[in-house]
Amino acid sequence: MEHYPSLELDENELWFLLSQYRSGFIVGVQDPYHGRRAEEIRAANETAFQSLVQRGILQLASENEVFLAEWIISLLGVCHHPVHSLIVQYQVAGGPLRRTFTHYGENLIVKLCETKPHHYHLRVVPDQESLLDLFDEALCSDSNSLSGGREFRLTANALFIARDLCIKGNLQRAEKTLTSAGLQEEQAQRLTRSLYKPVRNTSVIVIAQRNSTETQFVRGFSILEGANDLWIMDPYEENGEEAIAFIPANAEKVRARFLEILPRRSDA
């Protein structure tokens, strides 16, 4: 996929280019000028402009006009007003928390991520299947974990309490919380071990039909991988209470669930 265009920008360069569109909230990009004085913003914009010209991203067409390549305009346009957005957040044990934002235009998919503090990478994604390779670490593609047993369900509140107890090292209370919430003893033990020492946590969120407040909707799932277990976590609501279904999985099932949740043409 190396032949597809990509772009590296610092936050001031990116915000300068995005600010040429109408104002709005950009998913995945924080406003670097929030709370800053007008003169500071003008100075940052001038620095960004000069940097973009020096790098050849902005080209001077005349004394008062600049030229921006059409493919860059397309990337920025999709990020500024996407039809759908895919947000993937994950953390592997011992590693940093990573977030990636993938925006869908009418005919273009653009992946946006912060490669290091205040620096962004934008690239064109050729198709849906290519996202599997781009998110192989988040989707546990290298995992040999396989959860057995049946699906079980748990209220979100019970899960949050148990997770907090595990963070504090109180495993017995965490396990008791889970059994009191209806899990069998073996299920509670396995989940407690995974909450105490997770190998990987991933969340996947799709915001579909973003340009229509009447039909916009959100769907998603999470992944919890322990030393010997791997679950797909599907959120749902029952009797007005948030709950989660834990579905035993392996890497293949995770990839299939990911493809299932991605925006489709029928969502447009």
Side-chain angles (χ1 to χ4, degrees):
M1 292 183 288
E2 288 75 9
H3 61 286
Y4 286 90
S6 64
L7 191 61
E8 295 278 353
L9 299 167
D10 69 31
E11 64 179 359
N12 289 329
E13 292 171 332
L14 178 56
W15 197 258
F16 175 84
L17 293 174
L18 289 172
S19 67
Q20 306 310 303
Y21 297 84
R22 68 185 188 275
S23 60
F25 174 71
I26 314 299
V27 173
V29 183
Q30 293 186 358
D31 181 356
Y33 304 148
H34 180 70
R36 296 173 68 176
R37 298 192 303 271
E39 56 269 26
E40 291 179 315
I41 295 174
R42 283 194 295 270
N45 275 330
E46 179 61 27
T47 299
F49 174 80
Q50 293 297 336
S51 175
L52 290 166
V53 170
Q54 290 174 5
R55 295 178 60 198
I57 295 172
L58 280 177
Q59 300 177 33
L60 297 176
S62 67
E63 186 176 345
N64 298 314
E65 293 181 319
V66 292
F67 171 79
L68 190 61
E70 193 64 37
W71 69 269
I72 298 178
I73 294 174
S74 297
L75 259 68
L76 296 170
V78 170
C79 291
H80 194 277
H81 42 268
V83 179
H84 317 294
S85 291
L86 164 70
I87 304 170
V88 176
Q89 175 176 291
Y90 71 98
Q91 185 171 28
V92 178
L97 180 66
R98 301 184 184 277
R99 295 186 183 92
T100 297
F101 304 86
T102 304
H103 299 298
Y104 288 69
E106 295 292 346
N107 301 298
L108 194 66
I109 303 174
V110 178
K111 180 185 175 188
L112 166 69
C113 63
E114 195 172 7
T115 54
K116 58 182 179 179
H118 314 299
H119 287 78
Y120 294 87
H121 178 76
L122 295 84
R123 65 171 299 171
V124 172
V125 181
D127 50 47
Q128 296 271 48
E129 287 69 23
S130 300
L131 289 171
L132 287 171
D133 295 328
L134 294 177
F135 292 120
D136 58 349
E137 186 175 40
L139 297 175
C140 309
S141 297
D142 59 347
S143 174
N144 294 317
S145 296
L146 172 62
S147 289
R150 297 180 179 179
E151 173 184 326
F152 59 86
R153 294 170 181 255
L154 190 64
T155 65
N157 186 56
L159 175 61
F160 295 151
I161 292 173
R163 177 176 289 164
D164 186 58
L165 289 169
C166 286
I167 291 173
K168 295 175 180 176
N170 199 329
L171 305 189
Q172 289 185 339
R173 284 188 61 193
E175 188 177 323
K176 184 176 180 181
T177 297
L178 295 174
T179 54
S180 298
L183 297 195
Q184 297 177 359
E185 186 175 343
E186 181 189 3
Q187 293 171 333
Q189 290 174 348
R190 288 163 51 201
L191 182 53
T192 297
R193 286 195 297 268
S194 295
L195 291 173
Y196 178 57
K197 287 188 176 181
V199 172
R200 182 166 11 207
N201 280 291
T202 298
S203 67
V204 179
I205 299 171
V206 169
I207 309 173
Q209 300 178 357
R210 291 191 52 193
N211 297 323
S212 173
T213 55
E214 294 182 355
T215 58
Q216 183 178 120
F217 64 92
V218 178
R219 59 179 177 237
F221 70 97
S222 299
I223 305 163
L224 173 61
E225 181 184 7
N228 301 303
D229 285 292
L230 179 62
W231 289 286
I232 292 172
M233 300 163 59
D234 267 337
Y236 68 99
E237 189 173 302
E238 188 173 50
N239 299 323
E241 187 173 22
E242 294 182 4
I244 299 164
F246 285 76
I247 303 168
N250 56 18
E252 183 179 351
K253 287 185 178 180
V254 168
R255 289 166 70 90
R257 182 74 178 94
F258 179 72
L259 286 175
E260 178 187 324
I261 204 175
L262 291 180
R264 299 175 293 273
R265 288 190 181 273
S266 59
D267 292 331

